[in-house]
Amino acid sequence: MKVIIIGGVAAGAKAAAKIRRLAPDTEINLYTDDDYVSYSSCGLPYYIGGAFEDFRMLLVRTPAEFEKQKIHIHLRHKVIKIMPDTKEVLINVIDKNKNITKPYDKLVIATGARARIPEIINVNLPQVLPLRTLNDGKKLKELTVKSNKAIIIGGGYIGLELIEAFVKRGIHVTMVHNSSHLLTRLDADMSELVYDQLMSISHSRFDILLNENVIEFVGDKNRFYGAKLSSGQFIDGDFAVLATGIIPNSEIALEAGIELGVTKAIKVNEKMETSVKDIYACGDCCEENLIIDNKPTWYPLGSTANKEGRCAAMNVCGISESFGGVLGSAVTRCMDLTVSQTGMSEKTARLRGIEPISVTVTKDDKVGYMPDSNNITLKLTAEKSTGRLIGGQAIGSMDADKRINTLASAILARLTAAEFCMNDLTYAPPFSPTIDPLLNAAMMLRDKIINL
Amino acid sequence: MKVIIIGGVAAGAKAAAKIRRLAPDTEINLYTDDDYVSYSSCGLPYYIGGAFEDFRMLLVRTPAEFEKQKIHIHLRHKVIKIMPDTKEVLINVIDKNKNITKPYDKLVIATGARARIPEIINVNLPQVLPLRTLNDGKKLKELTVKSNKAIIIGGGYIGLELIEAFVKRGIHVTMVHNSSHLLTRLDADMSELVYDQLMSISHSRFDILLNENVIEFVGDKNRFYGAKLSSGQFIDGDFAVLATGIIPNSEIALEAGIELGVTKAIKVNEKMETSVKDIYACGDCCEENLIIDNKPTWYPLGSTANKEGRCAAMNVCGISESFGGVLGSAVTRCMDLTVSQTGMSEKTARLRGIEPISVTVTKDDKVGYMPDSNNITLKLTAEKSTGRLIGGQAIGSMDADKRINTLASAILARLTAAEFCMNDLTYAPPFSPTIDPLLNAAMMLRDKIINL
């Protein structure tokens, strides 16, 4: 059996390794237009920030290691066309500028997503770049070493993680965000709290400008001066990062007659099969099922890519396996602030036709007398008609994410707020207050639902 | 309505405050033989260790604050008899050495638990003391200030927390434990790992002697030399702590004809009612329902006491409320090591008639390239016949407990290992590996069950 995999960052690399374990005699060829394969792109902000200095720490497996397992990695080979009728792919060999055709029995599309490049004058200057690939990360790290001022366009996860990275490098940061709220997956009230808390720990090391648009980058290929905003303001900077979201690399699938989903990512069933026989998709290029309402969503995240790659591999090898979907669990850190989320926000619930009910509590995250105790703000959301938990948002110190995971289990299990109140969570002074904030919030939500 | 509450550390104090909120006109009298009321006894090791220096940080509410709410606190008033027939209690006023009788309409027993004092020669020396009350904590803190060497008898939670406290005070510690395994609620394999990891971070600051018994303390009221072991060894020390477990203060209930449970703690129903009308019990003196098998257990913990006090208060006030029971979730820290647990160990499962199946994994707790990444060892246990998750044990760095809580939600919701594998846990490099160790463990457990 000949398997071709397109793309090799997370899902593609995982699929290749898993197929090899399950089917030792399969011929596996992985094509990627990237210079690297099998790396942790989520780690790039920490590499840039100096948590470690050698980018090779980000590599999960090298091409040589894959080759030992007879997985053939073809770097700088861009698959430009899928031909399902003849079961072939057309590949552009970038360094030779020639095209070749290769046959497959099973094809795995793991083309990922790419940075969305906004329409800004001079967006192609060499000092303006996204952070998506390992090459992006290496270039950005080089820029940080010789710079004093950075501009970040966009206030999502990557943007916030880069604030931390640049501040750790002693670089002043100006973030320019085109809407009134950072982290658009959060409800507005929680997003405002993130903004307020970040401002309170900024100490002039970074600025965040909301409701501002960059209209032009000023400079040339040798020098960079900064960015002009639509408000007329000019922001000084030595370089700029485009953290303005990502787009699924699904065009190649669409052109091959493969069905896309409502999110414009590739539509797959629970076996990661696309609409075309013997073609699978996994990772950031495909859409997911939101477990809560069993409707499509798009959560391009490393953990999901990994699971989908594994699931696709098993089905490629004839072992029936299902990927159940996602809850939308995520976490990010900016300086000492952790922001985490699972399930639906109130906003998302309404968009998806569910009437939500929520409570928000701010509590100590440990017993107050412990020297490192801190605040955590938790927003818990349930479906109003049934009381079933559907989401949570947390802002606080390091383990805010773990409280979100405690909630994720409950959402997965379709517990109501009242049922969750029976939970027995661990207690000791260095870890939580006597009654964990999550239980406080659940009890308040239960009472709010009862008193409706 | 006249309410009398016996005991005022956690459950009793919580019950008093809650009754006042629900029933402003009730007469509330709280009697305790202690010198203090409403304090965090779980915080004593951190007070002793110097996390804070003023013991008043441990006080949740003072008698004066209670009095403002017309809750009458009677310190050093020991209730010595309950007379259900006449609905009275007999109280010894310690400082006047006289007895008084007080009537009640509703009685709440929150007598807690006391330290188990082992039979050791000279156990009554003033340099030998348990750590249970605030007074114990104050005495122990005084001893630490003028000492160089401590002896801890018993290797449970309190013993381990005191190792940390004494080491932080620069005092060398010898722990003497009378069995082969620390933390007896853990399975033997996990307990051995705790021992090994503690030894690896000891750096001669503390010793732990297993399978050893203290037979005699050597000294007099003015001087203390140390402890003789049954093996003949002599351990130097300036003082000794008895951390040899606790016993429920249930005798007063038994003598009044109130039924005790199989654990010798007071038997209560889900409304915290005892077998005698108008008498409630809550906190460490009463037994709980283990949610997993709906059979009695005894988990004397502060979080549970708090919930039970609240539940008893509501039912005292005529508001029907149920306490559903416990999962046995707990956490402790010793130095940089966190040990946490929920549900049944394999050992406990067998004792309770459930055939368990388990897996144990050791993984990075964060992505390996993050500078503060560490190991976490997780043992997950399911019921063999159904695959339902029934317990977990975690040993690792600070947030091992939060992973246990993620599991607690799943156990509460009666998820199987296979169902838990669908969970979507947050991922970012500072927080967890791409696939959280908890999911790794669940997938291994699912596969082990499938291949049975």
Side-chain angles (χ1 to χ4, degrees):
Chain A
M1 184 170 74
K2 288 178 199 294
V3 174
I4 286 180
I5 299 169
I6 315 176
V9 179
K14 177 75 186 181
K18 185 79 182 172
I19 292 169
R20 173 53 70 238
R21 268 202 295 283
L22 297 171
D25 298 330
T26 300
E27 183 186 315
I28 306 172
N29 284 283
L30 189 153
Y31 298 93
T32 173
D33 57 355
D34 202 338
D35 293 349
Y36 297 96
V37 73
S38 188
Y39 59 83
S40 170
S41 52
C42 307
L44 291 169
Y46 309 97
Y47 164 62
I48 293 165
F52 50 95
E53 296 299 335
D54 186 347
F55 76 88
R56 285 172 296 188
M57 300 278 282
L58 293 165
L59 302 175
V60 182
R61 276 193 194 83
T62 62
E65 286 168 327
F66 277 113
E67 195 60 46
K68 267 189 208 160
Q69 298 182 285
K70 294 190 178 165
I71 297 167
H72 310 298
I73 303 291
H74 307 272
L75 301 176
R76 299 177 65 75
H77 279 61
K78 185 174 175 64
V79 175
I80 51 179
K81 194 171 183 183
I82 298 167
M83 296 164 285
D85 292 344
T86 55
K87 295 189 97 167
E88 289 173 312
V89 292
L90 182 66
I91 302 157
N92 179 254
V93 185
I94 296 174
D95 294 330
K96 296 182 178 168
N97 199 21
K98 71 167 191 178
N99 290 349
I100 56 175
T101 299
K102 294 284 174 184
Y104 66 82
D105 295 309
K106 307 264 185 185
L107 178 69
V108 178
I109 306 176
T111 44
R114 64 185 180 276
R116 198 182 70 78
I117 305 298
E119 290 188 11
I120 298 173
I121 298 168
N122 286 332
V123 76
N124 293 319
L125 285 176
Q127 307 89 341
V128 177
L129 68 170
L131 177 62
R132 183 70 196 159
T133 66
L134 186 45
N135 267 333
D136 295 337
K138 288 169 73 179
K139 283 184 208 157
L140 211 46
K141 180 138 183 170
E142 282 166 26
L143 284 170
T144 62
V145 174
K146 55 186 183 187
S147 300
N148 298 311
K149 287 183 179 177
I151 300 172
I152 297 172
I153 325 295
Y157 283 159
I158 299 292
L160 291 182
E161 289 167 5
L162 282 175
I163 286 182
E164 176 182 308
F166 294 148
V167 166
K168 286 198 171 169
R169 290 277 175 189
I171 296 173
H172 182 272
V173 186
T174 306
M175 173 180 276
V176 183
H177 185 59
N178 67 357
S179 87
S180 55
H181 290 90
L182 300 170
L183 296 170
T184 50
R185 297 227 196 225
L186 293 180
D187 279 328
D189 53 341
M190 294 298 275
S191 172
E192 283 158 21
L193 189 63
V194 170
Y195 176 81
D196 292 345
Q197 296 217 3
L198 285 177
M199 286 300 97
S200 77
I201 56 174
S202 156
H203 306 301
S204 302
R205 294 173 298 178
F206 59 90
D207 294 321
I208 299 177
L209 308 180
L210 300 176
N211 288 316
E212 287 280 10
N213 280 285
V214 175
I215 53 168
E216 182 180 350
F217 293 112
V218 180
D220 56 37
K221 67 176 180 173
N222 299 314
R223 300 174 65 170
F224 187 79
Y225 299 98
K228 263 191 214 164
L229 308 187
S230 53
S231 62
Q233 201 180 340
F234 183 82
I235 306 296
D236 284 338
D238 301 315
F239 66 96
V241 188
L242 303 171
T244 41
I246 58 175
I247 299 168
N249 288 322
S250 55
E251 292 85 353
I252 193 173
L254 182 65
E255 285 159 18
I258 294 168
E259 202 179 333
L260 300 190
V262 291
T263 64
K264 302 292 178 206
I266 301 170
K267 188 173 178 174
V268 288
N269 64 14
E270 76 285 355
K271 297 184 172 204
M272 310 312 295
E273 294 168 336
T274 68
S275 63
V276 172
K277 193 171 179 305
D278 293 328
I279 302 183
Y280 300 77
C282 52
D284 291 356
C285 64
C286 71
E287 76 177 18
E288 286 86 30
N289 188 42
L290 187 65
I291 291 174
I292 301 165
D293 63 2
N294 281 314
K295 289 179 188 163
T297 189
W298 188 50
Y299 274 101
L301 292 171
S303 47
T304 301
N306 200 293
K307 292 179 198 172
E308 290 178 346
R310 178 182 173 279
C311 180
M314 292 181 76
N315 288 297
V316 161
C317 296
I319 300 164
S320 179
E321 173 75 2
S322 293
F323 176 66
V326 299
L327 292 171
S329 305
V331 58
T332 190
R333 186 182 78 181
C334 182
M335 319 293 291
D336 295 321
L337 193 71
T338 299
V339 183
S340 185
Q341 182 171 19
T342 188
M344 299 184 189
S345 65
E346 286 196 283
K347 185 171 61 177
T348 305
R350 288 201 182 92
L351 282 172
R352 297 176 81 97
I354 292 180
E355 183 57 23
I357 181 168
S358 299
V359 297
T360 304
V361 300
T362 297
K363 296 273 178 184
D364 288 338
D365 63 350
K366 300 177 183 63
V367 180
Y369 52 69
M370 294 303 286
D372 58 348
S373 84
N374 216 310
N375 272 347
I376 184 168
T377 297
L378 278 168
K379 181 170 183 173
L380 244 64
T381 302
E383 183 180 42
K384 202 169 177 177
S385 59
T386 62
R388 181 165 69 103
L389 291 168
I390 58 169
Q393 298 160 68
I395 299 170
S397 51
M398 270 306 285
D399 55 9
D401 67 309
K402 302 299 184 303
R403 284 179 169 111
I404 285 298
N405 285 339
T406 300
L407 190 62
S409 290
I411 295 173
L412 174 70
R414 309 181 89 77
L415 291 188
T416 63
E419 288 165 339
F420 187 79
C421 290
M422 273 185 66
N423 215 340
D424 182 10
L425 302 179
T426 58
Y427 160 60
F431 300 95
S432 67
T434 316
I435 299 297
D436 196 90
L438 199 50
L439 276 182
N440 282 124
M443 286 188 270
M444 283 177 59
L445 184 54
R446 173 196 60 184
D447 293 347
K448 192 169 175 182
I449 293 167
I450 290 171
N451 296 326
L452 273 179
Chain B
M1 184 169 73
K2 289 178 200 294
V3 174
I4 286 180
I5 299 170
I6 314 175
V9 179
K14 177 76 187 180
K18 186 79 183 170
I19 291 170
R20 173 52 69 239
R21 268 202 296 282
L22 296 171
D25 298 329
T26 299
E27 183 186 317
I28 306 173
N29 283 283
L30 187 154
Y31 297 93
T32 172
D33 57 354
D34 202 339
D35 293 347
Y36 296 95
V37 75
S38 189
Y39 59 85
S40 170
S41 52
C42 307
L44 292 169
Y46 309 98
Y47 163 61
I48 293 165
F52 49 94
E53 296 300 334
D54 187 345
F55 77 87
R56 285 171 296 188
M57 301 278 282
L58 294 165
L59 302 176
V60 181
R61 274 191 195 82
T62 62
E65 286 167 327
F66 277 112
E67 196 58 47
K68 268 190 207 159
Q69 296 182 286
K70 293 191 179 163
I71 297 168
H72 310 298
I73 302 290
H74 308 273
L75 301 176
R76 300 178 63 76
H77 279 60
K78 184 173 175 59
V79 175
I80 51 178
K81 195 171 183 184
I82 299 167
M83 295 164 286
D85 293 342
T86 55
K87 295 188 100 170
E88 290 173 312
V89 293
L90 182 67
I91 302 157
N92 178 255
V93 185
I94 296 174
D95 294 331
K96 296 182 177 168
N97 199 21
K98 70 165 191 181
N99 291 349
I100 57 174
T101 299
K102 292 285 173 185
Y104 66 80
D105 295 310
K106 306 262 185 187
L107 178 68
V108 178
I109 305 175
T111 44
R114 64 184 180 277
R116 197 182 70 78
I117 306 299
E119 290 189 9
I120 296 173
I121 298 167
N122 285 332
V123 76
N124 293 320
L125 285 176
Q127 308 89 343
V128 177
L129 68 169
L131 177 62
R132 184 72 197 159
T133 65
L134 185 45
N135 268 333
D136 295 337
K138 289 171 70 179
K139 282 184 208 159
L140 212 46
K141 180 137 183 172
E142 282 167 25
L143 283 171
T144 63
V145 173
K146 56 183 181 189
S147 300
N148 298 310
K149 288 183 178 176
I151 300 172
I152 298 172
I153 325 293
Y157 284 158
I158 299 293
L160 291 182
E161 289 166 6
L162 283 175
I163 286 181
E164 176 181 308
F166 294 148
V167 166
K168 286 197 171 168
R169 289 278 175 187
I171 295 174
H172 182 272
V173 186
T174 306
M175 173 179 276
V176 183
H177 185 57
N178 67 0
S179 86
S180 55
H181 290 89
L182 300 169
L183 297 170
T184 50
R185 295 228 198 225
L186 293 179
D187 280 327
D189 53 341
M190 296 298 276
S191 171
E192 284 159 20
L193 189 63
V194 171
Y195 175 82
D196 292 345
Q197 296 216 2
L198 285 177
M199 286 300 97
S200 77
I201 56 174
S202 156
H203 306 301
S204 303
R205 294 174 298 178
F206 59 89
D207 294 319
I208 299 178
L209 308 180
L210 299 176
N211 289 315
E212 288 278 10
N213 280 285
V214 174
I215 53 167
E216 182 179 349
F217 293 113
V218 180
D220 56 38
K221 66 178 181 173
N222 299 313
R223 301 173 66 171
F224 187 78
Y225 298 98
K228 262 190 215 166
L229 308 187
S230 53
S231 63
Q233 202 181 341
F234 184 81
I235 307 295
D236 284 340
D238 301 317
F239 66 98
V241 188
L242 303 171
T244 40
I246 59 174
I247 300 167
N249 289 322
S250 56
E251 292 84 353
I252 194 173
L254 182 65
E255 284 158 20
I258 293 168
E259 202 179 334
L260 301 191
V262 290
T263 64
K264 304 292 178 205
I266 301 169
K267 189 173 177 174
V268 288
N269 63 15
E270 75 285 356
K271 297 185 172 202
M272 309 314 293
E273 294 169 335
T274 67
S275 63
V276 172
K277 192 170 182 305
D278 294 330
I279 302 183
Y280 300 77
C282 52
D284 290 355
C285 64
C286 73
E287 74 178 18
E288 287 85 29
N289 188 40
L290 187 65
I291 292 174
I292 302 165
D293 63 4
N294 281 313
K295 289 179 189 163
T297 189
W298 189 50
Y299 274 100
L301 292 172
S303 46
T304 301
N306 201 293
K307 292 179 198 172
E308 290 178 346
R310 178 183 174 279
C311 179
M314 293 181 76
N315 287 298
V316 161
C317 296
I319 300 164
S320 181
E321 173 73 2
S322 293
F323 176 67
V326 298
L327 293 172
S329 304
V331 59
T332 190
R333 185 182 79 181
C334 182
M335 319 292 291
D336 295 321
L337 192 71
T338 299
V339 182
S340 185
Q341 181 170 19
T342 187
M344 298 184 190
S345 64
E346 286 196 284
K347 185 170 62 177
T348 305
R350 288 202 182 94
L351 281 172
R352 297 174 82 95
I354 292 179
E355 183 57 24
I357 182 168
S358 298
V359 296
T360 304
V361 299
T362 298
K363 296 271 179 188
D364 287 339
D365 63 350
K366 301 177 181 64
V367 181
Y369 52 68
M370 294 303 285
D372 57 348
S373 84
N374 215 310
N375 272 347
I376 183 169
T377 297
L378 279 168
K379 181 171 184 173
L380 244 65
T381 302
E383 183 179 42
K384 202 169 176 178
S385 59
T386 61
R388 179 165 70 102
L389 291 168
I390 58 170
Q393 298 160 68
I395 300 170
S397 51
M398 269 310 283
D399 56 8
D401 66 309
K402 302 299 185 302
R403 286 180 167 111
I404 285 298
N405 286 339
T406 300
L407 189 62
S409 291
I411 295 174
L412 174 71
R414 308 183 88 79
L415 291 188
T416 63
E419 287 165 342
F420 186 80
C421 289
M422 276 184 65
N423 215 339
D424 183 9
L425 302 180
T426 58
Y427 160 60
F431 300 95
S432 66
T434 318
I435 299 298
D436 195 90
L438 199 51
L439 277 183
N440 282 124
M443 286 189 271
M444 283 177 59
L445 184 55
R446 172 195 61 184
D447 294 347
K448 191 170 175 182
I449 292 167
I450 290 171
N451 295 325
L452 272 180

